[in-house]
Amino acid sequence: MPQKIAFGVFLTMGVVNLFAVQAGLTQGLGLHWLPALLLAVPVFYLRYVGSIAGILGAVVGWQMPLPLAVILFAWPALVYALMRGAAEAAAWRAARRTA
């Protein structure tokens, strides 16, 4: 069940990212929505480029505040960093206890 929820969350994030890139291209370059969508597909597919394009698209196309756009598109990386940091700290504490 958690895998299905994670899949749904990441699928939804991908669709939102695609539409944010499309909105940014529509507003920023003045493209019609269809060519902007076709151009957004390969852009959003690239891992970091797509995230940055999604952030810029949300800011330009949806007039979203920059901090909110960063949180919207970067929260998986932030959660991973926090989890990784917690795991490293736990390993370090365990190593200190045994030494």
Side-chain angles (χ1 to χ4, degrees), residues 27-59:
Q27 283 290 92
L29 299 179
L31 295 175
H32 186 265
W33 70 269
L34 185 59
L37 183 63
L38 294 174
L39 186 59
V41 170
V43 171
F44 107 98
Y45 185 72
L46 300 170
R47 183 174 212 142
Y48 298 111
V49 174
S51 294
I52 292 169
I55 292 168
L56 293 174
V59 170

